Amino acid sequence: VTGRDARAAIPRKKGSESRSKKRQKTASVDESLPLGSLSMHNFAAGSVRTFRSMEKANVGSCLGTLDISGVHGLTDSILSNVICGGSFPRLRRLSVKNCRKLTGKGIASLVNLPKLCALDVGGCFNVHPNDVVALVQSHPSTKKGKFNEIYASGLGWTDVALEEIVDSTMGFLRGLSVGFSPYISGPGLILILSKVASTLDRLAVPFCTGMDEAAAAALGKKLPKLAVLDIRGCNKVYSLSGMMEGRVAAQSQDDGHGATARHLFVLARYSGISNNSLEETLRLYESDSLTCILDGGGIGEGLRR
């Protein structure tokens, strides 16, 4: 072999090749690039090839938000080795909702996304509350007070697990979803969530049997910053008047005089609240302080981020 071809014939050592790849990956992360968002929601064809192609194209260097909810081809291996393998170092928000092949092993690998501050694992029925608690407790963002949104409905939460996740994020938790949990009690909701009263502004407890009239009224007073509430399927809540009364009382205490409650957006489809009950509440309290959706009418009015 002679000439230019001679250079190509020289074999490269595996070690040097590996070091070269590592240097290349490090050099490809440009923190000055603006962060973007990518949604692959319900992408049925998603597979390891999809994510390896994204890795090769260096897409992750400019992604701050990734929605791969409902991608049923997502496995623990893909999550651990590709998404959490160093190719998506700037991810702040991640949704793997309804990715039902994921287990606690995959969730544990999210500790390698150092900037993660919002996670949705709702509907991942092979993931348990303890897996989410363990991740949050060990994550670098938690230690910095930045892991402030946790959406994990459908995992079977209990009062004990709820208290553990709240204790781990006390002082900075802003969004929490623990729906479809028949083992969470009303008194548990009141006592535990009062610990994050100063920060919590989004709460989802759909189809939680412990959420009743008494719990709603108490939470209205104890969570004055709450802006969005999801109580769909809570058929023991018949009226929002008690909650609004508690919010007005809490606002009056904060301001030192009578005041209108801050605006609250409520999703209440399949709850015990009727149209007549809602009209009565709106007569008692200013309509600009409450928006309640009993039926979105198919126009997407119930969507909130």
Side-chain angles (χ1 to χ4, degrees):
V1 181
T2 59
R4 287 178 296 180
D5 293 334
R7 186 177 301 172
I10 301 173
R12 296 183 65 182
K13 294 181 180 179
K14 284 187 177 180
S16 63
E17 187 177 82
S18 176
R19 286 191 295 271
S20 173
K21 283 183 179 179
K22 286 181 180 179
R23 284 196 299 269
Q24 186 178 2
K25 183 175 284 189
T26 303
S28 66
V29 178
D30 185 354
E31 294 287 342
S32 66
L33 288 173
L35 287 174
S37 304
L38 175 64
S39 175
M40 299 168 62
H41 179 76
N42 284 346
F43 179 48
S47 67
V48 66
R49 289 187 179 183
T50 307
F51 295 100
R52 285 297 183 192
S53 296
M54 292 170 65
E55 180 182 43
K56 187 175 180 180
N58 203 23
V59 172
S61 64
C62 56
L63 269 186
T65 301
L66 179 61
D67 179 1
I68 45 179
S69 54
V71 178
H72 297 306
L74 184 67
T75 62
D76 287 341
S77 177
I78 295 173
L79 188 62
S80 303
N81 299 326
V82 183
I83 296 174
C84 299
S87 299
F88 295 78
R90 304 175 70 197
L91 268 186
R92 286 159 169 73
R93 306 178 65 85
L94 175 65
S95 175
V96 291
K97 183 178 181 179
N98 292 330
C99 293
R100 292 167 181 171
K101 290 183 179 178
L102 293 181
T103 69
K105 182 180 178 181
I107 297 305
S109 71
L110 295 174
V111 74
N112 295 317
L113 297 176
K115 297 188 177 181
L116 191 67
C117 61
L119 175 65
D120 190 340
V121 293
C124 297
F125 52 63
N126 288 312
V127 175
H128 303 288
N130 290 342
D131 298 324
V132 180
V133 171
L135 168 69
V136 172
Q137 289 176 339
S138 61
H139 202 280
S141 291
T142 305
K143 296 166 185 175
K144 297 175 183 177
K146 294 182 178 180
F147 208 142
N148 54 22
E149 294 180 58
I150 302 163
Y151 306 110
S153 287
L155 307 189
W157 290 87
T158 63
D159 287 349
V160 172
L162 178 61
E163 186 164 29
E164 288 178 333
I165 201 76
V166 165
D167 285 345
S168 300
T169 53
M170 200 172 0
F172 53 88
L173 184 65
R174 293 188 56 226
L176 178 66
S177 176
V178 288
F180 299 91
S181 299
Y183 307 113
I184 293 180
S185 68
L189 282 170
I190 298 166
L191 291 171
I192 296 166
L193 294 181
S194 63
K195 297 180 180 183
V196 286
S198 63
T199 58
L200 193 68
D201 59 23
R202 276 157 286 176
L203 175 64
V205 286
F207 294 91
C208 285
T209 54
M211 185 67 171
D212 55 16
E213 288 276 295
L219 290 176
K221 187 172 184 178
K222 290 183 176 293
L223 302 177
K225 291 194 174 182
L226 197 64
V228 179
L229 175 65
D230 183 351
I231 53 170
R232 289 172 297 172
C234 296
N235 55 17
K236 295 180 183 177
V237 179
Y238 304 105
S239 171
L240 290 175
S241 296
M243 171 166 268
M244 294 304 295
E245 181 180 355
R247 288 171 67 81
V248 171
Q251 185 69 25
S252 298
Q253 290 176 0
D254 289 344
D255 294 346
H257 54 79
T260 301
R262 295 184 178 93
H263 184 267
L264 177 65
F265 180 90
V266 181
L267 291 173
R269 195 174 188 185
Y270 306 123
S271 70
I273 301 171
S274 65
N275 285 317
N276 290 337
S277 171
L278 179 57
E279 288 172 6
E280 178 66 24
T281 300
L282 293 174
R283 277 197 296 269
L284 292 171
Y285 303 95
E286 294 186 20
S287 58
D288 59 358
S289 65
L290 174 65
T291 300
C292 180
I293 306 298
L294 296 180
D295 185 351
I299 60 173
E301 191 176 0
L303 293 177
R304 281 293 185 276
R305 286 287 183 186

